[in-house]
């Protein structure tokens, strides 16, 4: 089959690799219907995270189950499934606590899992899914083709934006600011509106993303950053800052922006993968009672809640995909996102 | 009148100072019935925070109102009042949001307030209270003498322990660990039990504090610290860590202990005044979805909730006072706490 590998900085290749095989009894093989490139994939692409040797890449996909191991009970051949960006058993104490990203048996895509062998990346024709019962979320029946992008968004960005909002405690009447206008930030706007926020301030400098932010529910746009950005948000929030700020970037600057834009007693919900490990300055957090909550989003647990709104059309996170390419052009997909010609690229095998 | 001043490192003196006077119309003068020394007072005492010139010290007291300004409506001469460790108006947006420590008109004791002059420290015979209506909490009638220590605890340590528990989201069935066995940590145990926690692990190495921790509701004692402390807490929590960890010290080591003792998806509630401004390591927080919430405790807002349990005897935070001295011996009170001969010292003018 064909799959995407990264060879090094700005070197993405689609190559013939061995077909995946069932090996543990608990796994499944899925034929990928759609996959995509994640903002976090750009880190190795840009060389921020070094690539020691060529390896598979990708971790977001939807598809149709080809075959399942003998021990799989909930997933059946022919099911249309959404995979989260990680593997989980759904039964351990951390999964039961709603933190399936910390599954005691869990792993990630594109690496050897603990017992069964290689789990493939997501950007390929097929994928071996360890712990299929816990990992895969199966739809009832087959979805309409136009829903594929929004279903794919549930594999990461929509659930991640939702996690930011939930972690920050967004609720009816909330005043929310969103730092970051990438796919996750845009999905965080959807999530904030869905949870009842009445003022949603999107921090964005790009006209096309501003337009999508408005479509998703943003009531205000702030283009300023730093001190001026904080001042603008305070102007829009009665002088005190937002109840919740959703940090969807992961840099020192974005976290600083988020902390300073939050009102006393408010909360930062953060899901931006920390780039370079910024440390949080505790003194200003302490003095103003600004909390920080979030992390790597346990999106598997949010699928059942978010799916009905996707199926009904109440939310349409698939609009974050502004470019669609065949899998064979994965290299161009990375380049388009790297050069900001696209927000997020959908790949079709 | 007599009041306590700090002159420098380990130099506490009780001296004659001018009597306080009403000056703004919104203020009150209170005759102090009981005051106490705070763990944070030990920082200037130990020279960790330098003392540039002699100044008043103290910020926890209860007393009886002597006189009030013309604009004061809720507080009357003769009222028995509890003061929080700060001044607040009770009406601004931050106060309404439950964060009276960030009151837009607020100030602290022992400094000039914004319009009316000097607000005295708490460790004296009398004190001028700016914004009396917002700051002071008046009891119905006069309390029994034996309740004075527990009422005094509501001015800071009991409300602060409660804030740690509330900020961390402690609730029925919670598994909680408390880092710090000072007065605040001990009160955090009371708070965790009161909010329904069923497993409460106290981290303490002192036999007398362990005994009080047990009396307050601790179900387990952990003497180990660092890696061994984390391992012990995991042993006691099914291998994953506590749902909530209450950080009641404020050092880099104690925050590290708290973060690592929290289960994936759990929360650190922190109220230890950050000593030297430790920074939070975001990477491990992100990967395990461990949040951090809390700060300088808005204790004024908790008094109405906690008072009935003090009056009924359901909670007895006054037991944290293990030494009582006349105000004239304030220097010995500081020395006793500094040398760990006492957990917390009550002063009677």
């Amino acid at each position: 089959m064909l799959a995407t590998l990264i060879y090094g900085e700005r070197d993405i290749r689609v190559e013939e690799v061995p077909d995946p095989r069932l090996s543990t009894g608990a796994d499944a093989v899925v034929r990928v219907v759609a996959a995509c490139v994640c903002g976090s994939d750009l880190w190795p692409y840009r060389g921020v995270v070094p690539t020691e040797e060529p390896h598979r890449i990708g971790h977001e996909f939807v598809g149709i189950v080809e075959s399942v191991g003998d021990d799989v009970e909930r997933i059946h051949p022919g099911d249309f499934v959404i995979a989260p960006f990680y593997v989980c058993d759904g039964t351990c104490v951390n999964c039961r606590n709603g933190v399936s990203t910390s599954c005691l048996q869990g792993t990630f895509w594109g690496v050897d899992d603990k017992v069964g062998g290689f789990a493939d990346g997501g950007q390929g024709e097929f994928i071996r899914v360890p712990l299929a019962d816990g990992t895969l979320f199966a739809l009832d029946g087959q979805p309409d083709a136009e829903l594929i992008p929004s279903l794919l968004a549930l594999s990461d960005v929509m659930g991640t934006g939702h996690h930011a909002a939930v972690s920050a405690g967004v609720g009816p009447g909330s005043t929310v600011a969103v730092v970051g206008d990438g796919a996750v930030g845009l999905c965080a706007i959807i999530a904030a509106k869905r949870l009842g926020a009445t003022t949603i301030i999107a921090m964005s400098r790009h006209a096309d993303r501003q337009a999508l932010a408005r479509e998703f529910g943003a009531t205000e746009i702030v283009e300023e950053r730093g001190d001026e950005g904080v001042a603008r948000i305070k102007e829009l929030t009665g002088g005190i800052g937002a109840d919740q700020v959703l940090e969807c970037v992961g840099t020192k600057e974005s976290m600083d922006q988020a902390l300073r834009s939050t009102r006393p007693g408010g909360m930062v919900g953060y899901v931006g993968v920390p780039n370079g490990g910024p440390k949080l300055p505790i003194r200003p957090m302490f003095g103003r009672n600004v909390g920080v909550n979030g992390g790597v989003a346990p999106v598997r647990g949010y699928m059942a809640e978010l799916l009905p709104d996707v199926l009904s059309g109440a939310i349409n996170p698939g609009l974050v995909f502004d470019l669609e390419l065949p899998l064979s052009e994965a290299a161009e997909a990375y380049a388009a996102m790297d050069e900001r010609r696209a927000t997020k690229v959908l790949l079709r095998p």
Side-chain angles (χ1 to χ4, degrees), chain A:
Chain A
M1 71 161 182
L2 290 175
T4 305
L5 291 91
I6 183 166
Y7 273 73
E9 189 176 331
R10 290 186 169 76
D11 186 358
I12 295 285
R13 305 181 199 176
V14 177
E15 296 186 342
E16 194 68 32
V17 300
D19 284 346
R21 291 186 185 185
L22 298 175
S23 64
T24 62
D27 48 4
V29 169
V30 173
R31 178 168 59 79
V32 175
V33 170
C36 52
V37 181
C38 181
S40 67
D41 290 333
L42 294 182
W43 289 13
Y45 183 77
R46 290 170 174 161
V48 177
V49 174
T51 298
E52 306 292 348
E53 54 187 29
H55 61 81
R56 302 277 193 88
I57 191 165
H59 55 257
E60 301 170 45
F61 64 95
V62 296
I64 292 174
V65 177
E66 285 276 311
S67 56
V68 301
D70 290 343
D71 304 331
V72 174
E73 296 181 352
R74 294 179 45 261
I75 301 296
H76 307 282
D79 284 352
F80 185 95
V81 291
I82 308 169
F85 62 86
Y86 56 89
V87 171
C88 58
D89 67 11
T91 59
C92 80
V93 60
N94 289 331
C95 284
R96 293 199 308 277
N97 280 335
V99 202
S100 50
T101 41
S102 292
C103 175
L104 297 176
Q105 294 200 76
T107 185
F108 290 90
W109 305 108
V111 297
D112 283 335
D113 72 284
K114 289 169 186 169
V115 293
F118 191 68
D120 304 297
Q123 296 158 2
E125 290 183 294
F126 293 91
I127 189 161
R128 176 180 165 268
V129 178
L131 306 175
D133 274 339
T135 303
L136 296 174
F137 181 89
L139 269 63
D140 292 331
Q142 302 296 314
D144 291 341
E146 68 267 25
L147 288 178
I148 297 292
S150 284
L151 295 170
L152 178 59
L154 296 183
S155 75
D156 189 341
V157 289
M158 183 60 223
T160 295
H162 180 69
H163 187 56
V166 169
S167 298
V170 173
S174 284
T175 293
V176 175
V178 179
V179 179
D181 63 357
V184 171
L186 291 165
C187 286
I189 293 170
I190 296 176
K193 181 181 180 189
R194 187 179 165 280
L195 291 166
T198 44
T199 297
I200 303 175
I201 304 166
M203 302 195 76
S204 172
R205 290 176 162 178
H206 303 88
D208 52 342
R209 298 183 186 199
Q210 290 176 1
L212 195 50
R214 293 255 187 215
E215 180 169 350
F216 282 167
T219 58
E220 311 283 347
I221 303 287
V222 167
E223 295 199 341
E224 295 83 351
R225 293 187 189 172
D227 291 344
E228 291 172 15
V230 173
R232 273 294 290 150
I233 286 179
K234 287 193 175 171
E235 271 179 35
L236 294 167
T237 55
I240 55 169
D243 297 329
Q244 292 94 17
V245 178
L246 312 185
E247 197 289 299
C248 303
V249 180
T251 63
K252 182 176 182 304
E253 292 71 25
S254 61
M255 182 56 90
D256 179 66
Q257 186 81 67
L259 289 169
R260 294 168 62 210
S261 301
T262 309
R263 71 159 169 82
M267 182 77 87
V268 172
Y270 78 114
V271 291
V273 183
N275 188 344
K279 292 188 173 178
L280 298 176
I282 200 168
R283 262 280 175 191
M285 293 169 57
F286 182 86
R288 301 173 66 246
N289 274 280
V290 169
V292 171
N293 195 27
V296 54
V299 299
R300 175 64 182 80
Y302 296 137
M303 290 178 186
E305 176 181 351
L306 296 172
L307 179 71
D309 284 1
V310 167
L311 295 178
S312 73
I315 64 174
N316 194 354
L319 291 175
V320 298
F321 295 103
D322 50 0
L323 180 61
E324 187 174 322
L325 292 171
L327 173 62
S328 58
E329 293 177 33
E332 164 59 11
Y334 279 76
M337 282 176 63
D338 177 41
E339 295 160 19
R340 291 188 169 271
R341 288 183 278 117
T343 302
K344 195 166 176 71
V345 185
L346 186 146
L347 296 170
R348 301 257 188 191

